């Protein structure tokens, strides 16, 4: 059997879960088609998903087409849950991007397609809801070509559009417009075909075009488009046929080295951890032992809260140190997705998706074994909001902390932070829906009633220039047994924090370098103004230590020998000095927005946008509608959403998604942080000494 790991992606409500249900039904996995509206689908299985009718967590189900097992991952479309999609992207062989025939290309569709194209993930497009009044095939196809990618080929047309009786009619070899379109699109990516096409525009054999279409679609160069309805089933059979024809199913190398990625972690009924792994090569068996936490180096970075590093991926590892190991845990049970839900097996092999029990410290994003080759990472925009969480019953404080810790473990982009000065617990968030879901989960699953403050924005800091500092071991100003020198340089936007060595890796024990790197990562979480410092390179310029030594016949003497603790304490001190010499500027998140409002609402809308510090572009008038694109600080999006109904008689539609960071002008729109790095050297040394004394 071959395997196809297939993602279903779309803007919220486009019909992913409904389409999943249809696909399962037509493959014979379920007898009765469930409905999102009745809360009876296979993949929206959480109580909250059923109540709200939206997908919150990605879910896996499988079915068989011919000799291919399809592992389908239904993902959430709401932008607040984009972290779920980010984890899934790294394990897919192909995707179906669903677009509503009524709403057309939407904000999240663009965000997703950009990621899919960058990662070259082979993608079929399904234009759904062809049965709904207002469905418009031509307009949506034009929108896809204009706003997503010109490399599309419609595989057929729809009759009875906008009615329950709609049907998908596939194009055939006799349709001149179809074969001409095929030749034109395919020739773009193939020199030989282009030469033959130029020689004779209509003479390319249909079989060759179909073969070439399959080859190019499997390489993610061209996207076949199907149309239909998840509710009536129109076009679903043709889409099913397209999955195996146009997407790359594989076998993987089961005899190769173990390589897998954990893309989802959940808790079982008894609170046990279950990790979903996609195997790229090799096999894992029950009773296999794995280093605890898999690839810690990779994870260390993933877990660093709202990490903006390398949103375009591929930058991981720039000068970073290899991962270390600390302890092992044993796989106690495995189940594998084969047909429908997962079934108990004693191994999970290359190509497959399995659920693993027993890995105590496993977290989303962990690599099991060696990292998969040729799989760049994609990072979506980080969360830009944060909120203070307080238990309504003071006695629940500990339970709240533990529960939030578990939730953050399942969703690594939920950053949990404690402000020790104010004694507050803060949660980073994508939006209000996520906040409501977390609140409901805390109450429903953990029995903790929590209150959330109004969300404020998360700013970041970027170095304003270059700054360096060092201390040499054994000199009077240096209270620690370590030599550390660090230089901070600004780096291009979106390059994240990068740690580099300008000293020889062999010049010190590895554990000391690791202590320096980990401390650099931790210290950068809170810069001079208390925000995470991004887009910087920290270079280690000096290193030195005193080896383990003792007076004659005595034991190891700490006062003469360097320890990792010396490196940690000194690194923080040096990095803070280097950062303050470099200086940093605070930036706030800015969203790009797209507004569709009645044309006569444009006039009253403008002063509101100005007051909210938005920068609108030129309006485009489309009949009774006015389309407006622009930028608005993330801090103001909520207010714009609230004002919109009154300004547009309830007809306005706003889509907003993170765009970039811009320097804060005037006062920061966020709560100033109180728990940031104390930059005063004396204060810091006092703090370290108190800590040492307390031990
Ligand atoms: N008329 C019609 N309604 C549809 C179709 N597909 C989905 N719907 C409806 O659209 C709504 C959203 O469908 P879902 O399947 O939950 O959409 P989704 O993309 O999974 O949504 P999220 O996971 O929350 O992003 C539900 O009310 C569905 O009944 C379709 O083909 N035709
Ligand atoms: Mg869904």
């Amino acid at each position: 059997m071959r395997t196809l790991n297939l993602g279903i992606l779309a803007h919220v409500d486009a019909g992913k879960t409904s389409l999943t249900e249809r696909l399962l039904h037509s493959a014979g996995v379920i007898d009765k088609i469930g409905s999102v509206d009745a809360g009876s689908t296979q993949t929206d299985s959480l109580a909250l998903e059923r109540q709200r009718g939206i997908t919150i967590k990605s879910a896996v189900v499988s079915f068989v087409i011919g000799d291919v097992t399809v592992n389908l991952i239904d993902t959430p479309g709401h932008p607040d849950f984009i972290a779920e999609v980010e984890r899934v992207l790294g394990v897919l062989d192909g995707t179906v991007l669903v677009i509503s025939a009524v709403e057309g290309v939407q904000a999240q569709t663009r965000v997703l397609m950009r990621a899919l194209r960058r990662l070259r993930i082979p993608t079929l497009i399904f234009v759904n809801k062809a049965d709904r009044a207002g469905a418009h095939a031509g307009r949506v196809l034009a929108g896809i070509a204009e706003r997503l990618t010109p490399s599309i080929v419609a595989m057929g047309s729809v009759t009875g559009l906008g009615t329950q009786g709609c049907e998908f009619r596939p194009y055939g070899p006799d349709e001149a417009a179809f074969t001409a379109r095929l030749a034109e699109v395919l020739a773009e990516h193939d020199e030989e075909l282009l030469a033959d096409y130029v020689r004779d525009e209509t003479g390319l054999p249909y079989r060759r075009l179909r073969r070439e279409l399959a080859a190019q679609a499997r390489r993610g160069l061209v996207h076949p488009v199907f149309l239909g309805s998840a509710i009536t089933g129109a076009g679903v059979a043709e889409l099913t046929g397209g999955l195996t024809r146009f997407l790359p199913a594989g076998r993987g190398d089961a005899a190769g080295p173990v390589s897998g990625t954990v893309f989802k972690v959940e808790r079982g009924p008894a609170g046990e951890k279950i990790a979903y792994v996609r195997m790229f090569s090799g096999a894992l068996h029950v009773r296999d032992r794995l280093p605890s936490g898999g690839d810690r180096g990779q994870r260390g970075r993933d877990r660093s809260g709202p990490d903006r590093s390398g949103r375009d991926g591929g930058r991981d590892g720039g000068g970073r140190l290899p991962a270390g190991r600390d302890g092992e845990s044993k796989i106690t049970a495995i189940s594998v997705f084969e047909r429908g839900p997962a079934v108990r097996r004693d191994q999970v092999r290359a190509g497959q998706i399995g659920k693993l029990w027993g890995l105590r410290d496993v977290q989303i994003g962990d690599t099991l074994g060696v990292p998969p080759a040729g799989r760049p990472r994609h990072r979506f925009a980080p969360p830009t909001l944060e909120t203070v969480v307080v238990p309504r019953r003071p006695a629940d404080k500990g339970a709240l902390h533990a529960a939030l810790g578990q939730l953050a473990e399942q969703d690594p982009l939920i950053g949990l932070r404690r402000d020790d000065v104010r004694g507050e617990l803060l949660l980073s968030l994508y939006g209000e829906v996520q906040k409501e879901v977390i609140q409901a989960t805390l109450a429903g699953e953990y029995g903790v009633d929590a209150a959330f403050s109004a969300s404020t924005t998360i700013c970041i800091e970027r170095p304003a220039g270059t700054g360096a500092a060092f201390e040499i071991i054994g000199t009077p100003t240096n209270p620690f047994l370590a030599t550390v020198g660090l230089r901070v340089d600004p780096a291009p936007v979106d390059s994240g924090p990068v740690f580099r060595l300008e000293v020889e890796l062999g010049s010190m024990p590895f554990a000391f370098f690791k202590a320096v790197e980990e401390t650099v990562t931790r210290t950068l979480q809170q810069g001079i103004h208390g925000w995470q410092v991004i887009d910087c390179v920290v270079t280690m310029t000096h290193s030195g230590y005193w080896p383990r030594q003792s007076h004659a016949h005595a034991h190891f003497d700490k006062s003469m020998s360097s320890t990792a603790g010396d490196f940690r304490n000194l690194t923080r001190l040096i990095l803070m000095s280097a950062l303050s010499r470099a200086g940093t500027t605070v930036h706030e998140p800015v969203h790009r927005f797209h507004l569709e409002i009645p044309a006569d609402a444009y006039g009253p809308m403008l002063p509101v946008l100005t007051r909210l510090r938005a920068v609108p572009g030129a309006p485009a008038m489309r009949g009774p509608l006015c389309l407006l694109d622009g930028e608005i600080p993330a801090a103001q999006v909520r207010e714009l959403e609230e004002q919109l109904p009154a300004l547009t008689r309830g007809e306005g539609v706003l889509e907003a998604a993170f765009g970039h960071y811009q320097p804060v002008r005037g006062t920061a729109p966020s709560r100033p942080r109180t728990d940031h790095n104390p930059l005063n050297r004396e204060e810091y040394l006092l703090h370290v000494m108190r800590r040492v004394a307390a031990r």
Side-chain angles (χ1 to χ4, degrees):
M1 281 296 258
R2 292 180 298 147
T3 313
L4 172 69
N5 293 301
L6 175 75
I8 306 274
L9 271 61
H11 188 93
V12 65
D13 265 1
K16 298 172 290 294
T17 302
S18 307
L19 180 63
T20 299
E21 208 63 18
R22 261 287 160 191
L23 290 167
L24 289 174
H25 182 259
S26 66
V29 172
I30 51 174
D31 302 329
K32 198 163 167 284
I33 299 175
S35 144
V36 172
D37 309 295
S40 57
T41 62
Q42 299 293 308
T43 48
D44 279 357
S45 56
L46 301 177
L48 261 180
E49 293 181 317
R50 296 187 163 195
Q51 278 161 24
R52 289 179 162 252
I54 60 166
T55 304
I56 295 168
K57 293 272 173 196
S58 57
V60 187
V61 282
S62 66
F63 55 93
V64 173
I65 312 172
D67 71 333
V68 177
T69 300
V70 180
N71 291 324
L72 183 156
I73 309 181
D74 180 21
T75 62
H78 196 287
D80 281 13
F81 307 113
I82 190 80
E84 288 287 308
V85 184
E86 182 173 298
R87 300 295 142 176
V88 164
L89 282 180
V91 305
L92 299 177
D93 301 313
T95 59
V96 173
L97 183 70
V98 183
I99 297 172
S100 162
V102 181
E103 280 84 13
V105 172
Q106 294 169 281
Q108 194 72 351
T109 330
R110 295 171 70 180
V111 170
L112 294 169
M113 191 64 181
R114 260 203 302 275
L116 293 170
R117 279 170 64 80
R118 205 189 65 72
L119 296 174
R120 279 272 175 93
I121 297 180
T123 299
L124 307 185
I125 295 173
F126 186 70
V127 177
N128 188 33
K129 306 197 182 184
D131 61 307
R132 252 184 62 189
H136 201 299
R139 196 180 59 216
V140 174
L141 288 171
I144 296 171
E146 195 184 312
R147 300 176 68 192
L148 297 183
T149 166
S151 297
I152 55 165
V153 181
M155 300 305 291
S157 60
V158 180
T159 57
L161 202 65
T163 68
Q164 286 278 313
C166 65
E167 274 182 35
F168 180 69
R169 202 179 61 80
Y171 293 136
D174 301 331
E175 246 112 353
F178 174 55
T179 52
R181 171 79 189 145
L182 270 180
E184 186 190 319
V185 173
L186 297 171
E188 290 266 315
H189 307 284
D190 188 290
E191 294 282 321
E192 211 177 300
L193 197 75
L194 178 64
D196 293 347
Y197 176 61
V198 171
R199 208 171 305 123
D200 180 2
E201 268 194 30
T202 53
L204 292 170
Y206 183 67
R207 280 181 52 196
R208 179 175 173 195
L209 290 174
R210 289 291 291 203
R211 213 174 40 241
E212 190 61 32
L213 174 63
Q216 290 196 13
R218 283 184 196 159
R219 288 166 59 209
L221 298 173
V222 169
H223 309 285
V225 182
F226 296 86
L227 300 95
S229 162
I231 296 298
T232 69
V236 174
E238 290 79 2
L239 174 70
T240 306
L243 295 180
T244 46
R245 197 171 319 126
F246 298 125
L247 295 177
R251 283 207 169 76
D253 177 11
V258 168
S259 174
T261 299
V262 175
F263 63 93
K264 175 179 163 104
V265 171
E266 65 182 17
R267 296 254 167 194
E272 74 278 19
K273 239 182 189 181
I274 307 168
Y276 286 63
V277 63
R278 188 250 150 108
M279 295 300 292
F280 290 94
S281 91
L284 284 173
H285 304 82
V286 175
R287 287 187 293 283
D288 276 355
R289 287 178 180 278
L290 289 170
S292 268
D295 174 348
R296 276 203 176 271
Q298 177 88 27
R299 196 184 65 204
R301 191 174 186 122
D302 288 352
R303 300 281 306 163
S304 59
D307 183 345
R308 286 91 186 162
S309 56
R311 230 181 294 144
D312 53 357
R315 288 179 224 257
D316 280 359
R320 292 185 322 114
L321 303 172
R325 293 181 161 208
D326 50 355
E328 288 186 330
S329 54
K330 190 167 79 176
I331 299 174
T332 52
I334 294 178
S335 63
V336 174
F337 287 89
E338 284 181 1
R339 192 184 276 264
V343 284
R344 280 294 154 113
R345 290 285 177 259
D346 57 7
Q347 62 165 329
V348 53
R349 289 188 321 276
Q352 293 181 317
I353 287 179
K355 289 161 77 169
L356 308 178
W357 279 258
L359 302 180
R360 285 190 312 273
D361 299 331
V362 76
Q363 290 178 351
I364 293 186
D366 276 356
T367 298
L368 304 184
V370 297
R375 287 256 160 188
R377 285 282 311 269
H378 183 84
R379 286 172 197 267
F380 290 108
T384 55
L385 298 174
E386 73 178 353
T387 176
V388 179
V389 195
V390 248
R392 285 197 212 272
R393 285 186 302 267
D396 280 348
K397 206 168 171 194
L400 173 68
H401 200 192
L404 286 172
Q406 275 200 12
L407 291 179
E409 187 177 78
Q410 291 166 31
D411 184 347
L413 292 187
I414 293 184
L416 195 57
R417 191 169 70 78
R418 192 207 292 267
D419 181 331
D420 286 332
V421 178
R422 287 194 181 124
E424 288 173 346
L425 211 51
L426 293 108
L427 204 59
S428 58
L429 289 172
Y430 278 94
E432 299 306 315
V433 175
Q434 187 189 14
K435 191 198 257 185
E436 287 166 22
V437 165
I438 292 176
Q439 197 165 24
T441 309
L442 286 171
E445 285 181 28
Y446 298 90
V448 177
D449 191 8
F452 289 65
S453 69
S455 306
T456 50
T457 46
I458 301 175
C459 294
I460 53 105
E461 291 178 40
R462 290 191 170 120
T466 292
F470 68 90
E471 291 271 10
I472 305 290
I473 193 166
T475 53
T477 56
N478 186 352
F480 305 108
L481 291 188
T483 295
V484 173
L486 297 171
R487 190 180 65 242
V488 176
D489 290 296
V493 167
D494 282 349
S495 58
V498 173
F499 178 69
R500 285 208 183 115
L501 297 182
E502 239 174 47
V503 293
E504 286 296 319
L505 191 54
S507 64
M508 277 198 322
F510 177 70
F512 294 163
F513 280 115
K514 196 138 184 61
V516 173
E517 188 190 15
E518 282 172 3
T519 310
V520 165
T521 306
R522 201 168 320 123
T523 307
L524 289 177
Q525 290 295 308
Q526 294 177 6
I528 300 172
H529 304 281
W531 303 106
Q532 187 181 1
V533 183
I534 62 162
D535 301 336
C536 65
V537 180
V538 177
T539 308
M540 186 165 190
T541 51
H542 300 67
S543 68
Y545 75 110
W546 284 350
R548 282 175 77 91
Q549 51 191 315
S550 53
H551 294 290
H553 311 299
H555 288 299
F556 162 57
D557 184 346
K558 244 183 166 176
S559 68
M560 301 166 67
S561 322
S562 303
T563 63
D566 286 313
F567 280 91
R568 275 194 286 271
N569 288 328
L570 185 58
T571 296
R572 183 152 173 230
L573 199 62
I574 298 291
L575 184 52
M576 289 182 328
S577 307
L579 257 186
S580 65
R581 283 177 192 159
T584 66
T585 44
V586 176
H587 291 61
E588 66 174 320
V590 175
H591 283 207
R592 291 207 181 89
F593 70 80
H594 175 75
L595 264 176
E596 292 188 14
I597 53 174
D600 62 353
Y602 175 64
M605 183 63 117
L606 271 188
V608 175
L609 289 174
T610 309
R611 185 173 58 75
L612 295 176
R613 300 193 288 133
V615 184
M621 296 298 174
R622 298 266 159 85
L625 272 187
C626 167
L627 313 186
L628 200 56
D629 289 294
E631 294 189 343
I632 180 167
Q636 314 294 346
V637 174
R638 183 103 203 261
E639 192 174 338
L640 182 56
E641 277 167 358
E642 285 169 359
Q643 301 257 339
L644 197 62
L647 285 164
T648 63
R649 301 182 295 276
E651 290 170 33
V653 179
L654 168 72
E655 289 175 357
F658 174 82
H660 59 98
Y661 288 98
Q662 74 179 13
V664 170
R665 289 179 205 98
T667 328
S670 45
R671 270 167 109 243
R673 290 195 167 175
T674 59
D675 58 339
H676 60 266
N677 285 322
L679 279 173
N680 179 315
R681 183 187 163 92
E682 274 62 48
E683 237 178 67
Y684 175 68
L685 288 177
L686 216 65
H687 171 73
V688 172
M689 270 153 29
R690 266 199 224 109
R691 237 177 31 202
V692 171
R695 265 195 222 132

